[in-house]
Amino acid sequence: MAVSPRRADPELRLALIDIGARLLAEGGPRALSTRRLAAEAGCSTQAVYTHFGGMSGLVREMVHEGFDRLQTHFAHVADSDDPVADIALLGIAYRRNGGRNPHLYAIMFGTTTHTGYRLNEPDRQYGRYTLGRVSRTAARCIDSGRFTAADPELVAHHMWTAVHGIVSLELGDYLIPPYDADTCFETQLVNLMVAQGDGRARATRSIAAARLRAVGLEERAGGLEERAGGLPAPS
């Protein structure tokens, strides 16, 4: 009688990704071994090969899982009649995802790597795909007359590079009072909208509205925090 192959446990897969990302971020490539992964996850070393085909496959899945979680955070942001508030809320979601998944965040962008793996173009394209939501929202800001820019993808890249920089500095504990992360993030959002052609007073109101909506999103994001095992979201 043939024995059916054992199904891979999705919860174990996620645990291995999170544990592996933490080991890699905290101890570098030498800290990431199948033996240590298995010991911390409470499984056999074979599980790494069952789920990922090996260590390089595990690191690739760390990259993809990081962007999947970002995409899920973005998906919780519903379109409203205020597209500037919507794009600000996507920035808040981006920051929240980085705060909840700091170890994955470093690996997603190649700042933490494994000696047997480097980001390739398909990996980067996988990450760029998440920017599509920001581009579409930027187009709505332009169509509404709030932004005077003509290229929504360029607007999205401006938003991405600016918010990414703040999140990276925040995770590195570089932003301290009086120029802490909350202060820099809030003023940066306003300045980003104004730079695209929005009025300062109107942009400030939209970002205040986005902040209120973000409180409501916190409950939905709670499930992601448990799944990811990350840090609390920034305030």
Side-chain angles (χ1 to χ4, degrees), residues 46-91:
Q46 181 60 36
V48 177
Y49 299 94
T50 299
H51 286 274
F52 311 105
M55 200 61 73
S56 291
L58 169 62
V59 179
R60 174 175 287 108
E61 286 303 303
M62 291 178 193
V63 175
H64 290 194
E65 179 65 21
F67 282 109
D68 286 344
R69 293 181 187 182
L70 174 59
Q71 186 79 344
T72 301
H73 276 81
F74 280 175
H76 285 311
V77 178
D79 288 348
S80 74
D81 58 2
D82 184 345
V84 173
D86 296 345
I87 204 167
L89 195 53
L90 290 173

Side-chain angles (χ1 to χ4, degrees), residues 159-211:
M159 300 289 174
W160 187 15
T161 53
V163 174
H164 178 78
I166 285 182
V167 174
S168 297
L169 290 171
E170 180 180 16
L171 293 179
D173 293 326
Y174 283 100
L175 301 178
I176 59 175
Y179 306 111
D180 56 87
D182 285 340
T183 299
C184 291
F185 186 69
E186 192 79 18
T187 54
Q188 178 76 303
L189 284 179
V190 174
N191 290 335
L192 282 169
M193 307 312 167
V194 172
Q196 302 305 327
D198 203 17
R200 183 167 294 275
R202 199 172 183 185
T204 301
R205 288 194 298 271
S206 290
I207 290 164
R211 278 289 185 192

